[in-house]
Amino acid sequence: MAEFEEVSRKSKLHPKPTGLKLQYGTAGFRTTAKHLDHVMFRMGLLAVLRSKKTRSTIGVMVTASHNPEDDNGVKLIDPMGEMVALTWEEYASQLANAEQEELLHSLNDIVKKETIDMSQEARVIVGRDTRPSSESLSRAVFDGVQCLGSHFHDYGLVTTPQLHYMVYCQNTQGSATLEDYYKKHSQAFLHLTKNAPVHANAQRRLLVDGANGIGALKLRELEAFLQKQLLVALFNDGSTGKLNHLCGADYVKVQQKPPQGIQMEVGERCCSFDGDADRIVYYYTNSDGHFHLLDGDKIATLISTFLKELITEAGLDLQVAAVQTAYANGSSTRFLEDTMKMTVVCTKTGVKHLHHAAQKFDVGVYFEANGHGTVLFSRAAEEQIHQLAKSPDITNEKKHAIQLLDNTVNLINQTVGDALSDMLLIEAVLAVRGMGVQDWDAMYTDLPNRQLKVKVADRRVISTTDAERRVVSPAGLQEAIDKLVAKYQQARSFVRPSGTEDVVRIYAEADTQESADALAHEVSLAVYNLAGGVGEEPKPLKL
Ligand code: G16
């Protein structure tokens, strides 16, 4: 095809290292930044094809999120702001892995399979995180878009959820600015909290660990719209520290300790973003110095409870369901099912899976334990809420509830988990309900748990089933895990290959921290021995 001549010429400037194979994983491509130039160029090409196919704006976000600073990656965003469709993930891997001389053939193959009209206009929007490599990698994306004769708009430094939101707005309203994003979310927050009871706990400031990343920059911008209704003390703002190094949501969740660089007083409410601000976790320490983590499960519980109460008070008949993964703490699942009487669904890791499961309900609250999640309202549910909020013929009590609900809908970024909008929502719920972080924490008690990583020669030797809760291969591993789990009380453990790092992840929970740690270590050894561990054998945890 004539359109491809320029691709042929330009692709030589973005050569693929021969033999390098990468997979579109849990959230796009992730690896060391120096291996990604050709992938970015090719994702520019693919975004154009996806845009032509869907006749919509497509997003390309350059980020490796929670990974170390030297890594990078790319996430593709579909027309309604959701993660790219699974079939296109396969095209992404196919295109990224085509050797230099196969590239045009691979491109043609996608055009044919998807019967793409190449004369159709395309529009791609691009964003990037603060990694040193992100700017030049996003230029490779522009090259890919332009050599297919298409237009792009560069949003520059944005959080991943902001770019998701821009894609959604471009396709539904024809325009999207960051200012609109800040105005929409801050106004909803201000409306929600304006009549909140004055409560000592709710008044205190919020300490935020920005992971030395884009979330810190964007929080500063958001603050200007909040009319001092939320007092933020920002740490790890990127001015000195390294991205995600000893800080950020993933560090805090996995290590179960505060990030470096934060100065927290006993009982103070703190939260951490991850490297592209699509995750958030909360925490505090109590007077005996004990660290308390309020992760995605606790966030889901707080939000579901709030929504369920408002729906009941407003007299609406809407089903609220929760979507979790195998990492959800057993106590949270029991609380949601037994106390809250909610439907709880378990999916594979990756918000793309949770998002689709949540779409099946009137109100789907989905959160991964790592703090990645949001709430989805079906179109019909949203319509009912907006209509009732406008109705003059309802009691004052119902009016109050429906207005809170209506503002809550407006506060949520429904395209994807968003640390900034999740933070505002949590802060609003705590303020409206007059709750302190300890009250929230007391909703249920987490089972002690531990997450570990094991390096193996090829993590693809591990395959799983039942939403990753059971191992299918290698032979004998699941039996070994079952035997180890049986030694402990209230115990559960599973293993799965990561889709963002070259490791196998291990999760264990049990009635005590000692048991959870011992189980996690023993399961790591089983993985090491049965799945081809490399390097040093895992050692018991020293606490
Ligand atoms: C990404 C995904 C998340 C997932 C996480 C870890 O997060 O968006 O849904 O939980 O990776 O995935 P894995 O265990 O497969 O490595 P992020 O924040 O890094 O984009």
Side-chain angles (χ1 to χ4, degrees):
M1 277 192 203
E3 295 91 342
F4 290 175
E5 274 166 30
E6 184 67 357
V7 175
S8 177
R9 203 176 64 78
K10 273 279 173 71
S11 70
K12 295 192 179 84
L13 303 175
H14 303 281
K16 173 183 178 296
T18 312
L20 180 70
K21 294 266 181 249
L22 298 170
Q23 209 59 34
Y24 197 97
T26 312
F29 293 101
R30 296 270 169 101
T31 189
T32 167
K34 58 180 188 282
H35 285 153
L36 279 169
D37 182 71
H38 71 291
V39 174
M40 297 294 169
F41 171 75
R42 292 167 186 211
M43 289 310 105
L45 301 174
L46 191 70
V48 170
L49 297 191
R50 183 72 181 147
S51 174
K52 286 179 188 289
K53 170 76 187 183
T54 58
R55 300 176 182 226
S56 306
T57 297
I58 294 296
V60 181
M61 181 70 197
V62 178
T63 179
S65 190
H66 77 273
N67 290 46
E69 186 169 277
D70 295 342
D71 280 1
N72 218 320
V74 56
K75 301 178 178 181
L76 297 175
I77 306 168
D78 251 2
M80 296 311 281
E82 70 278 37
M83 306 257 184
V84 75
L86 292 180
T87 41
W88 282 70
E89 286 192 359
E90 284 165 32
Y91 294 144
S93 299
Q94 169 188 325
L95 207 58
N97 291 329
E99 293 304 338
Q100 205 64 23
E101 60 283 2
E102 296 165 351
L103 179 60
L104 296 191
H105 175 75
S106 181
L107 211 51
N108 241 321
D109 184 53
I110 299 168
V111 171
K112 277 205 192 119
K113 275 193 189 136
E114 291 291 328
T115 53
I116 293 168
D117 172 5
M118 290 303 286
S119 66
Q120 175 67 38
E121 286 225 341
R123 197 175 151 78
V124 176
I125 64 175
V126 185
R128 65 172 196 274
D129 71 11
T130 53
R131 278 161 217 270
S133 58
S134 291
E135 196 172 351
S136 70
L137 288 175
S138 58
R139 279 200 297 272
V141 177
F142 308 157
D143 263 7
V145 175
Q146 280 178 315
C147 78
L148 278 178
S150 298
H151 303 289
F152 69 88
H153 176 77
D154 178 21
Y155 277 92
L157 291 166
V158 281
T159 70
T160 296
Q162 285 179 329
L163 195 72
H164 280 256
Y165 185 74
M166 296 300 133
V167 172
Y168 170 80
C169 290
Q170 285 286 357
N171 288 317
T172 52
Q173 295 153 27
S175 72
T177 65
L178 270 187
E179 193 176 339
D180 295 340
Y181 169 94
Y182 292 127
K183 277 192 181 151
K184 175 178 183 285
H185 292 95
S186 59
Q187 276 168 16
F189 173 78
L190 294 173
H191 285 312
L192 254 177
T193 52
K194 71 173 176 228
N195 295 321
V198 179
H199 183 277
N201 283 331
Q203 285 288 299
R204 283 216 313 264
R205 64 186 185 145
L206 171 69
L207 274 61
V208 182
D209 156 29
N212 290 318
I214 185 69
L217 293 185
K218 298 298 154 177
L219 177 58
R220 283 275 180 253
E221 293 177 7
L222 172 68
E223 255 189 299
F225 292 80
L226 292 175
Q227 300 175 6
K228 299 202 166 49
Q229 283 304 301
L230 180 65
L231 299 178
V232 168
L234 178 60
F235 297 86
N236 298 327
D237 64 355
S239 51
T240 51
K242 218 175 168 181
L243 178 72
N244 294 333
H245 182 61
L246 306 176
C247 62
D250 200 61
Y251 174 85
V252 172
K253 166 71 181 154
V254 175
Q255 302 298 324
Q256 303 187 18
K257 59 182 177 198
Q260 252 184 28
I262 201 162
Q263 290 146 21
M264 55 200 284
E265 303 281 330
V266 168
E268 265 194 315
R269 210 165 60 251
C270 309
C271 68
S272 285
F273 300 162
D274 74 338
D276 63 344
D278 57 9
R279 299 194 209 171
I280 184 168
V281 294
Y282 271 69
Y283 44 91
Y284 68 98
T285 51
N286 64 10
S287 48
D288 61 13
H290 197 79
F291 176 75
H292 290 255
L293 177 70
L294 293 104
D295 63 3
D297 301 335
K298 288 256 165 155
I299 295 172
T301 308
L302 180 77
I303 295 174
S304 315
T305 309
F306 183 65
L307 291 172
K308 270 202 91 169
E309 286 168 359
L310 293 181
I311 286 169
T312 308
E313 285 162 25
L316 288 169
D317 181 18
L318 298 173
Q319 192 195 7
V320 185
V323 185
Q324 303 185 316
T325 69
Y327 290 105
N329 195 278
S331 295
S332 75
T333 313
R334 270 189 293 283
F335 180 83
L336 291 167
E337 282 180 340
D338 302 346
T339 310
M340 298 297 302
K341 307 285 177 225
M342 279 172 63
T343 302
V344 179
V345 177
C346 182
T347 72
K348 292 202 287 191
T349 301
V351 275
K352 59 194 175 194
H353 301 298
L354 289 95
H355 192 93
H356 290 136
Q359 281 172 327
K360 300 196 176 99
F361 300 94
D362 298 329
V363 182
V365 180
Y366 77 81
F367 269 89
E368 294 187 299
N370 62 24
H372 203 168
T374 187
V375 183
L376 302 185
F377 295 85
S378 70
R379 196 180 283 250
E382 227 178 274
E383 194 52 32
Q384 272 188 57
I385 293 167
H386 291 327
Q387 286 308 328
L388 191 61
K390 283 195 240 151
S391 166
D393 306 323
I394 50 172
T395 62
N396 282 345
E397 197 196 20
K398 278 192 181 173
K399 198 174 203 69
H400 180 64
I402 197 66
Q403 280 171 350
L404 287 176
L405 199 52
D406 199 30
N407 285 316
T408 303
V409 174
N410 287 331
L411 179 47
I412 294 168
N413 181 350
Q414 293 192 48
T415 62
V416 78
D418 181 338
L420 290 174
S421 94
D422 286 343
M423 177 194 77
L424 291 181
L425 177 59
I426 293 162
E427 291 300 309
V429 174
L430 294 177
V432 169
R433 290 297 186 229
M435 286 167 83
V437 69
Q438 293 88 346
D439 305 318
W440 169 20
D441 195 23
M443 290 174 88
Y444 67 86
T445 306
D446 271 323
L447 275 174
N449 59 88
R450 179 65 62 195
Q451 275 187 58
L452 297 174
K453 304 176 190 183
V454 172
K455 197 121 176 89
V456 298
D458 181 1
R459 67 194 198 277
R460 287 170 303 180
V461 298
I462 296 193
S463 63
T464 61
T465 183
D466 188 21
E468 302 178 320
R469 288 174 287 198
R470 294 191 68 77
V471 168
V472 176
S473 66
L477 182 54
Q478 186 57 49
E479 290 72 16
I481 296 172
D482 289 342
K483 271 193 197 148
L484 294 168
V485 167
K487 288 169 44 183
Y488 299 96
Q489 302 297 312
Q490 292 179 267
R492 188 168 71 88
S493 181
F494 68 90
V495 308
R496 53 175 286 280
S498 161
T500 61
E501 294 171 55
D502 189 11
V503 294
V504 177
R505 297 200 195 280
I506 283 96
Y507 176 85
E509 66 184 31
D511 61 339
T512 64
Q513 192 62 55
E514 292 69 28
S515 297
D517 289 349
L519 177 58
H521 171 246
E522 288 164 10
V523 172
S524 312
L525 278 177
V527 169
Y528 183 87
N529 291 324
L530 296 170
V534 293
E536 260 187 66
E537 197 178 84
K539 296 221 166 43
L541 281 133
K542 272 196 229 121
L543 292 176

